[in-house]
Amino acid sequence: MFTRTPVPQSIARKLQEMILSGDLKSGEKIPSQRELSEKFGISRASLREALLTLETIGLIKTEAGRGTFVVGAGASRTMSEWKFSDEHSLREVFETRLVLEGEITAFAAGRLSEDDLAHLSELTDRMEKAWSRRDFLSNVEADLEFHDLIAQNCRNRMIARLYDQVRELVTETQRQPIPITDPARMRASLSEHRAIVAALETGNAEASRSAM
């Protein structure tokens, strides 16, 4: 089935490409929201969402009274402010993920086809390749697809629906740590994903839950 990429995500990808290609250079102030919205033919609301995504993953930084700048590769990086703080703390969302994703993975054990398992391995490889070329958006997208595929195969529609309802929060927790994730932590994350696939291949629910 053809799925249309949301406008903010599409624009975030275009801007990321401009940064990675050098069209927007390290330390450079990016054009105003008015200029960018006119350039891409989109609303300012969609543009703001795209810019917030890039700021969350550490590619740009907004400075009050000065504007928005491309963050240099060697610049000091910190996590951006948690944008759902009025609703749920970051800790609460991670704790919810632990509960939901662990049980989802246990239910999915023995229920994924060989094609599904191969696709999970492919997604992990895609995460690795995207990270190596600093394509952080693709890295996060592959990670989200990895978890979504497992959720789709847990064979419990209510749990899968609950997971879908918190997807926006889950997405943000995937993006949030990117600026402070070093190569060693990413290698560990990739190893963890491969361990999940290996556990799912055995069909052992407890091993799959523990791996997640």
Side-chain angles (χ1 to χ4, degrees):
M1 181 184 295
F2 174 77
T3 303
R4 185 178 179 183
T5 302
V7 171
Q9 185 177 329
S10 176
I11 298 305
R13 180 168 294 284
K14 287 180 181 179
L15 288 169
Q16 179 186 247
E17 289 171 359
M18 291 171 70
I19 292 170
L20 296 181
S21 68
D23 288 341
L24 287 173
K25 296 177 174 54
S26 174
E28 181 180 345
K29 183 178 179 179
I30 71 172
S32 69
Q33 289 190 16
R34 180 183 60 79
E35 291 176 273
L36 287 174
S37 60
E38 290 177 356
K39 173 183 175 69
F40 295 120
I42 60 170
S43 68
R44 290 203 189 184
S46 291
L47 177 65
R48 281 193 292 272
E49 188 174 339
L51 293 175
L52 184 58
T53 295
L54 294 180
E55 188 157 12
T56 300
I57 64 175
L59 288 180
I60 62 175
K61 183 176 183 180
T62 299
E63 298 181 11
R66 295 192 63 217
T68 302
F69 298 82
V70 177
V71 175
S76 175
R77 294 173 181 266
T78 58
M79 283 205 304
S80 61
E81 184 178 345
W82 175 241
K83 71 177 185 179
F84 296 105
S85 57
D86 290 341
E87 303 170 39
H88 308 285
S89 70
L90 186 57
R91 180 188 180 93
E92 286 174 329
V93 179
F94 272 115
E95 287 173 345
T96 302
R97 284 189 61 189
L98 282 173
V99 172
L100 278 178
E101 291 178 352
E103 292 309 307
I104 283 171
T105 308
F107 278 119
R111 293 173 172 175
L112 289 106
S113 68
E114 289 186 8
D115 285 345
D116 289 330
L117 292 166
H119 190 41
L120 288 174
S121 293
E122 178 193 337
L123 287 167
T124 306
D125 291 342
R126 195 186 303 171
M127 284 176 62
E128 184 172 28
K129 290 173 183 174
W131 181 264
S132 69
R133 61 178 186 268
R134 296 186 72 236
D135 182 355
F136 300 141
L137 290 176
S138 291
N139 173 274
V140 171
E141 286 165 9
D143 197 1
L144 290 168
E145 189 176 342
F146 181 97
H147 290 282
D148 282 347
L149 181 56
I150 295 172
Q152 290 164 17
N153 285 277
C154 76
R155 307 291 173 88
N156 183 308
R157 288 176 297 175
M158 183 167 233
I159 292 177
R161 184 177 179 184
L162 284 171
Y163 191 70
D164 188 58
Q165 287 176 341
V166 298
R167 195 181 194 283
E168 185 179 8
L169 292 162
V170 170
T171 299
E172 197 66 10
T173 62
Q174 302 287 60
R175 292 172 178 161
Q176 190 90 6
I178 289 292
I180 60 170
T181 301
D182 60 24
R185 176 61 203 128
M186 180 51 61
R187 286 194 296 271
S189 176
L190 293 166
S191 294
E192 289 160 7
H193 281 71
R194 292 184 172 114
I196 292 167
V197 178
L200 286 167
E201 286 175 339
T202 70
N204 185 304
E206 187 53 47
S208 298
R209 181 189 290 110
S210 297
M212 179 60 75

